[in-house]
Amino acid sequence: MSFPPCPSCQSEYVYQDLSHLVCPECSYEWNPQEVEEDDVVKVKDANGALLADGDKVIVVKDLKIKGSSQVIKIGTKALVRRVLDKKDHELDCKVDGVGEMMVTAKFVKKA
Ligand SMILES: [Zn+2]
């Protein structure tokens, strides 16, 4: 039986201690079941990097705001307040100079 690599240092020498997995190299301990549940929402940015609540991102293309003539310019910074499990507009963001709005993950990248 093999275990997933250490989420902290990617070591492969992970062993099991009761319900936890333990990394001998950085002594990180975790419960593999909890990790899987936390991982359900997988939303990726323009570069394929996973986004999480609280990430700072940069808009990578001009985005029209629905129902408005306003445009979010490329390079605008935003804070991801929440990542949602949706097909698009997955990111509940606070956008600099615009305010709160839903943004599609593939139109941003991690700052
Ligand atoms: Zn480790």
Side-chain angles (χ1 to χ4, degrees), residues 66-108:
K66 250 191 194 163
S68 147
S69 59
Q70 216 178 344
V71 173
I72 302 175
K73 283 283 186 194
I74 185 168
T76 302
K77 289 178 189 157
L79 174 72
V80 178
R81 301 188 325 148
R82 236 157 82 78
V83 177
L84 303 172
D85 190 11
K86 304 204 302 177
K87 276 216 165 71
D88 58 12
H89 299 94
E90 307 95 326
L91 306 175
D92 178 1
C93 284
K94 190 151 188 278
V95 181
D96 270 12
V98 180
E100 289 168 24
M101 64 173 296
M102 305 303 293
V103 177
T104 299
K106 66 183 177 198
F107 298 146
V108 303

Side-chain angles (χ1 to χ4, degrees), residues 6 8-11 23 25-28:
C6 170
S8 179
C9 73
Q10 309 304 318
S11 166
C23 172
E25 299 199 33
C26 70
S27 49
Y28 185 80

Side-chain angles (χ1 to χ4, degrees), residues 11-25:
S11 166
E12 289 170 14
Y13 303 106
V14 165
Y15 63 90
Q16 187 162 22
D17 181 19
L18 300 175
S19 67
H20 282 69
L21 296 179
V22 181
C23 172
E25 299 199 33

Side-chain angles (χ1 to χ4, degrees), residues 56-75:
K56 289 188 178 124
V57 296
I58 294 173
V59 175
V60 296
K61 90 192 258 284
D62 287 353
L63 300 175
K64 280 198 181 141
I65 301 175
K66 250 191 194 163
S68 147
S69 59
Q70 216 178 344
V71 173
I72 302 175
K73 283 283 186 194
I74 185 168

